[in-house]
Amino acid sequence: MMRKLTGLCLFLAATLLGLGTSAFAGATLQLSDDSKIDFGFRLQSLYLNTDKDLDGDGSYERYDDFKVRRARLRVGADITQWVNMFIQTEFAEDAATGADMRIIDAFILVKPHRLAWIYMGENMAPVTRQNLTSSGALMAVDRPGITYKVLTWGTRALSTFSTATYADSDAGLRGDVDVRDTGLVLMGNFDLNDMTHVKYYLGVADGVQKADKDSERYSGRLQLNLFDKEDGFYHLSTYLGKKKTLSFAAAYDTQADVAFDQATGNRVDYTLYTFDGFLDYPVGPGTLTCEAGYINLDLDDAGILANAAGTALSTASALQSQGDGYYAQAGYYINQWQPWIGYEQWSSDAANDKGSFDAVKFGLTYYLKGHNANIKVGYEIFNT
C-alpha cells in the first residue's frame, strides 16, 4: 500500500564545545602547558506536527509532539600533547535510548603523527560522510533517513526528520552500544600540495554479534579534499562561509556472520559501500553548500533474521532492508539565513518493494550564533 506522510518541524539547537572542529567554543580548564579539560553541552529540542497511526488501525491522524532530540554533556581532555580523551553522555526521547542518560562516546586518542591518529573505545564507525558529521553542525533539521543503513545504526531507514524508524525497512540488526561501535580507528591526513588534501580511516570494531560466531567489523574510508582541508575526525554539514572546500570520498564496511537467516539457518554477512561528495563554496554574496551520497547494502538476500537462539530480530526481512539508494541536499547561506532542500530515495530488494521509499525535505534556518545557537523550520514529505 502506498502512503504519504507529511510533517512540519520547528527545531531549536544550542551547543557549546565541538569535537574535531574549531567551530564551537566551550569552557576550558588549563591544568599545565600541555594539559587541559574542556567542558560542553548540546541541547536540541523540537516540535513535530505529523501523521501517525495512533491506534494501529492503518489510518493516519495528525499528531503533535514535543521532543528532546539530543541532550548531551561532554568532557574532553588533553592529557599530553600526544594523548587525548573524550566522554559524552546523551538523553534522547526515542526507543533506542529510553529515558535515561547514557554514555555514547568514550575513547582515548593517541597522536604520534598526523598520518597515524589512533582512536580506541566507543566512537563512530568511519563509513558515510553523514555518520562522520557532527549532529551539532547539520544543515537540515537532521540527517537523511538512509544514513541509518549502516550496520550499528540499524540497517534501516528513518522518517519524520530522522525521529521515527520506517518499520518496513528494519531487519532488526542492532549493536551493543547502538549507533556507535566499540573498537579501534586509525586515521591520518596529508597534503599532496597546497590545494589537494587526503584523509583516510581504517577501523576494526565489535559490530553486531547475533550469530554463534565471534567476528569483527572492518571499515575503511578514503577522502580527497580540494582547496581547504577537513582534517579532523568529524565534519560539518555546512561551514557557513568559513571554509572553501570540495570533497570526494568512498568507503567500505563489512562484517561476516552478523545473524542467522531464520528460514535456512545460514549465517548472514553484512556489506555496505558508499560514495559521497561535498561542496562548500562562495557564490555571489553568500555561500553555496551541496552534498550527495550513494549507499549500497547487502545482507546476503536473507529472509527474516534471527539470533543464535532462533528468535526473529524483526518482522521485516533482510531483503526489505537490503538495496541501494542516494540522497542529495543543498543550501545557501547569507546574512545568518540559510534556506535548504533535500531529496532521498531507497530501493529495497524485496519483490514487493517493501522497504522502498522516497522523501523530500525543505526548510529555513536562522543562525543566532552559527552552529552554537540556531532555529530551523522544516517540512518533510515521505512516500512509500
Side-chain angles (χ1 to χ4, degrees):
M1 179 182 69
M2 297 289 293
R3 69 171 184 266
K4 176 186 290 188
L5 304 182
T6 61
L8 175 69
C9 178
L10 173 64
F11 181 90
L12 306 177
T15 302
L16 276 176
L17 178 63
L19 174 64
T21 173
S22 60
F24 310 108
T28 301
L29 176 62
Q30 194 74 39
L31 302 178
S32 66
D33 290 343
D34 61 354
S35 300
K36 64 180 181 180
I37 301 176
D38 292 320
F39 303 94
F41 68 87
R42 178 176 305 153
L43 179 60
Q44 297 173 339
S45 55
L46 55 82
Y47 160 74
L48 290 167
N49 178 268
T50 186
D51 298 316
K52 192 170 185 179
D53 184 3
L54 297 175
D55 53 11
D57 65 353
S59 63
Y60 284 73
E61 299 81 27
R62 298 307 293 177
Y63 177 72
D64 295 296
D65 192 18
F66 292 91
K67 296 178 73 71
V68 174
R69 181 63 179 94
R70 297 177 181 93
R72 299 179 177 179
L73 300 175
R74 309 140 67 86
V75 180
D78 293 348
I79 310 302
T80 73
Q81 61 178 325
W82 312 110
V83 180
N84 304 81
M85 60 165 284
F86 184 77
I87 298 174
Q88 180 171 227
T89 65
E90 178 178 64
F91 167 88
E93 292 184 72
D94 57 47
T97 60
D100 297 324
M101 189 76 76
R102 68 185 185 108
I103 298 290
I104 60 169
D105 291 289
F107 60 81
I108 293 174
L109 166 60
V110 181
K111 302 185 292 183
H113 191 276
R114 64 177 298 199
L115 287 175
W117 286 14
I118 303 167
Y119 294 79
M120 181 175 288
E122 184 179 337
N123 194 14
M124 203 70 76
V127 190
T128 72
R129 181 181 178 92
Q130 282 290 318
N131 297 140
L132 297 170
T133 296
S134 169
S135 62
L138 299 173
M139 181 173 65
V141 169
D142 217 291
R143 296 182 173 91
I146 66 171
T147 300
Y148 290 78
K149 289 294 179 177
V150 174
L151 181 61
T152 47
W153 289 43
T155 63
R156 54 187 164 143
L158 268 61
S159 69
T160 323
F161 293 105
S162 294
T163 61
T165 295
Y166 172 35
D168 284 348
S169 73
D170 185 9
L173 288 172
R174 299 291 189 275
D176 291 338
V177 297
D178 203 25
V179 178
R180 270 68 169 174
D181 210 340
T182 306
L184 182 148
V185 176
L186 177 67
M187 189 198 87
N189 58 82
F190 57 92
D191 305 323
L192 297 178
N193 53 51
D194 290 342
M195 286 187 54
T196 310
H197 318 281
V198 177
K199 178 165 60 172
Y200 77 90
Y201 303 81
L202 294 172
V204 57
D206 289 338
V208 172
Q209 308 278 354
K210 299 300 182 184
D212 59 352
K213 186 176 180 181
D214 183 26
S215 59
E216 303 303 322
R217 175 189 186 183
Y218 299 98
S219 53
R221 177 178 170 88
L222 183 65
Q223 179 173 318
L224 173 71
N225 279 82
L226 303 179
F227 310 113
D228 294 338
K229 65 180 68 177
E230 296 179 287
D231 52 2
F233 192 93
Y234 288 93
H235 309 109
L236 275 63
S237 190
T238 176
Y239 287 95
L240 306 179
K242 297 180 180 178
K243 191 181 287 287
K244 180 173 70 173
T245 191
L246 171 65
S247 79
F248 302 96
Y252 187 78
D253 191 28
T254 187
Q255 183 179 354
D257 308 321
V258 294
F260 286 102
D261 184 328
Q262 190 179 50
T264 65
N266 295 330
R267 293 187 179 91
V268 176
D269 299 337
Y270 154 89
T271 302
L272 181 146
Y273 64 86
T274 179
F275 305 97
D276 59 72
F278 175 80
L279 173 71
D280 212 63
Y281 202 85
V283 176
T287 300
L288 175 68
T289 300
C290 300
E291 180 180 339
Y294 170 81
I295 296 173
N296 185 291
L297 170 65
D298 180 34
L299 292 170
D300 279 351
D301 297 330
I304 299 296
L305 298 182
N307 60 21
T311 304
L313 303 182
S314 171
T315 57
S317 71
L319 280 171
Q320 292 174 222
S321 180
Q322 180 180 297
D324 69 329
Y326 66 91
Y327 72 89
Q329 58 184 26
Y332 188 75
Y333 176 75
I334 182 170
N335 297 330
Q336 296 181 265
W337 292 93
Q338 188 178 53
W340 47 266
I341 187 168
Y343 178 80
E344 60 183 305
Q345 183 181 74
W346 184 263
S347 298
S348 82
D349 288 343
N352 55 6
D353 280 337
K354 264 198 168 183
S356 299
F357 76 95
D358 64 81
V360 61
K361 306 170 189 178
F362 53 88
L364 180 67
T365 303
Y366 178 67
Y367 293 94
L368 291 83
K369 191 176 181 180
H371 288 300
N372 283 332
N374 52 76
I375 301 171
K376 299 177 182 178
V377 177
Y379 191 79
E380 173 180 332
I381 303 171
F382 188 90
N383 296 296
T384 65

